[in-house]
Amino acid sequence: MRAVIVDCAIYRDGRRTEGPADLSDALDEARATGDAFLWIGLHEPTEKEFALVSSEFGLHPLAVEDALSAHQRPKLEVYDDSLFAVIKPVVYEQASDRVTTDELMAFLGDSFVVTVRHGEGAPLAAVRRRLEAEPEVLKHGPTAVLYAVSDAVVDHYIEVAGELQVDLEELEAEVFAPTGVGDTKSTAARIYTFKRQILEFRRATGPLSAPMARLAGADVPFVHEHSQPFFRDVGDHLTRANEYVEGLDRLLSDILSAHLAQVGVRQNDDMRKISAWAAMAAVPTMVAGIYGMNFEHMPELRYVWAYPAVIALMAVVVFALYRQFKRRGWL
C-alpha cells in the first residue's frame, strides 16, 4: 500500500503535522479537534490497494469505480459522505510537439481529502508545497486542496495553449510558404494531427466549466462557505483557456481550408500547363499527320520549298500559341 501513497499528512490550523501510520487512526485524530484534516495522495492504485482507503473513508462505490477506471470526463459528483471531482490535466511534450491528457480525481469529505492521480503529467508535490507555504489558505480545509489543484491545472491549460499557438504559427508559415516549398501530403498530415490534439485539449477544458461554475455557486456539500470567490477566479481562468482553445481550433480550420484551396489552385495550374503543352503539340501533329497520308495527288508535294515552309509554319504557330499561353499565365 505504501508504494501507491505518494504523501500522507494531517494539517491542523493550516500547518502540516505527521500523524499515525494507520489510516483509521490518522482520520480519527484529524476529526478529534475539528480544525484538522487528513490529505492522502495516491498514484495509480489498483483495486485491491484502493479498497483499504475506500473502506476507511466510506467512499461511494461508483466514485471508487470511476477513480480506478481513469477514463472519465471532468465532472463533479455529490454523494452522501463525500464530494467527488474529476479533472484532466494536459501535458505538452516538447520533444514531439504533442498534447496528452492525464486524470486527477479528488474525494472530499469530513476532515479528509484523497487525491488519485493517473499518469505522470500532474504531479501534486508542487501544489502541496505551495499550500504548505500558505497556511491562511490551507486553513479552509479540504476545499483549499481542491481549489489549489484546480487552479494549478487550469493555469497549466493556458501555458499549453501558448505552446500550441507557437506550433500553429509555424504550421501557418509552412502552409502559406511560396509554391513548391514543403510536402503537400506531409503538411496535410500535420494539420490533421494538430486538429486531433486540439480536440483532445477541448475534451479536457470544455466539460470542466460546469463543475467550476457549480463550485463557484452556493450550497455545495463539503465545500467551505467562503470559497466561492476562489473558484470563480479559477472559472475565469478556465473561460480564458476555453476561448484560447476555441480560437486555435477556428484558426486551424481556416488554415486547413486555405491549404486545400492552395492544393486545388496548384492542381488547376498543373492542368492548364498540361493543356497548353498539349495544344502546342497538336498543331505540328496535325500538319505532320496530313502530309503523312499516302495519297498520290496531294497539293504542294512537288514544290521545292514546300517542306521547309511547312516546318516554318508549324514553328510559327507553336510559337504564337506559346506566347499566348505565357501572356495568360498558363505557362
Side-chain angles (χ1 to χ4, degrees):
M1 183 64 194
R2 287 294 171 182
V4 299
I5 296 180
V6 180
D7 202 348
C8 178
I10 295 177
Y11 294 89
R12 180 174 289 106
D13 196 25
R15 302 190 180 279
R16 178 181 180 123
T17 61
E18 299 301 329
D22 184 77
L23 296 181
S24 180
D25 294 341
L27 183 60
D28 291 339
E29 180 178 330
R31 288 173 172 172
T33 58
D35 61 347
F37 71 95
L38 176 66
W39 181 4
I40 300 178
L42 305 176
H43 180 238
E44 297 183 353
T46 63
E47 183 176 357
K48 182 178 180 181
E49 293 168 336
F50 199 53
L52 176 61
V53 177
S54 61
S55 61
E56 291 291 344
F57 293 94
L59 305 180
H60 197 278
L62 293 178
V64 172
E65 181 181 354
D66 290 343
L68 292 174
S69 62
H71 292 288
Q72 305 298 318
R73 287 166 54 90
K75 62 180 180 178
L76 183 68
E77 298 286 350
V78 178
Y79 298 99
D80 294 336
D81 299 323
S82 62
L83 181 72
F84 178 61
V86 179
I87 304 175
K88 295 180 73 69
V90 174
V91 181
Y92 177 80
E93 299 178 1
Q94 292 281 356
S96 58
D97 294 338
R98 292 179 61 252
V99 171
T100 58
T101 57
D102 295 326
E103 292 196 21
L104 182 62
M105 291 83 168
F107 295 87
L108 276 71
D110 180 18
S111 300
F112 74 86
V113 56
V114 178
T115 55
V116 182
R117 180 166 58 92
H118 291 270
E120 301 296 335
L124 296 181
V127 176
R128 191 184 286 261
R129 288 194 299 267
R130 168 190 162 190
L131 279 175
E132 291 175 355
E134 300 177 355
E136 292 300 324
V137 177
L138 204 54
K139 282 182 179 180
H140 290 81
T143 305
V145 177
L146 181 59
Y147 157 72
V149 170
S150 304
D151 186 54
V153 171
V154 171
D155 285 346
H156 192 60
Y157 286 164
I158 299 177
E159 295 177 7
V160 173
E163 296 286 351
L164 290 177
Q165 178 68 38
V166 174
D167 292 342
L168 189 58
E169 290 174 357
E170 295 176 356
L171 183 60
E172 185 178 16
E174 179 181 335
V175 169
F176 292 101
T179 304
V181 178
D183 185 3
T184 300
K185 292 183 179 180
S186 176
T187 302
R190 285 188 59 190
I191 294 175
Y192 278 110
T193 301
F194 211 125
K195 191 77 171 176
R196 292 186 64 86
Q197 293 185 55
I198 295 297
L199 178 60
E200 187 71 16
F201 201 169
R202 296 186 68 174
R203 288 174 179 170
T205 61
L208 189 59
S209 298
M212 286 299 107
R214 189 176 179 185
L215 289 170
D219 300 329
V220 179
F222 309 105
V223 175
H224 197 278
E225 58 182 356
H226 299 301
S227 64
Q228 285 80 11
F230 296 94
F231 286 108
R232 279 199 297 268
D233 181 68
V234 177
D236 291 340
H237 292 181
L238 180 61
T239 300
R240 178 185 171 190
N242 281 324
E243 292 175 350
Y244 212 153
V245 174
E246 290 176 3
L248 291 175
D249 190 38
R250 288 195 299 267
L251 184 57
L252 189 59
S253 298
D254 293 340
I255 292 176
L256 178 59
S257 299
H259 175 68
L260 295 177
Q262 284 185 339
V263 171
V265 170
R266 291 173 187 174
Q267 290 176 344
N268 290 335
D269 289 340
D270 293 339
M271 290 301 298
R272 287 192 300 179
K273 291 179 181 179
I274 294 173
S275 300
W277 286 111
M280 288 187 293
V283 174
T285 301
M286 179 187 67
V287 176
I290 292 175
Y291 283 91
M293 293 187 293
N294 297 320
F295 292 104
E296 182 177 355
H297 301 288
M298 289 185 65
E300 296 95 19
L301 288 180
R302 299 186 181 276
Y303 290 128
V304 176
W305 298 102
Y307 180 77
V310 171
I311 296 298
L313 177 63
M314 290 190 293
V316 170
V317 174
V318 170
F319 181 73
L321 289 174
Y322 176 81
R323 289 290 302 272
Q324 186 69 14
F325 290 141
K326 192 73 173 179
R327 185 179 297 109
R328 295 189 177 185
W330 284 37
L331 294 175

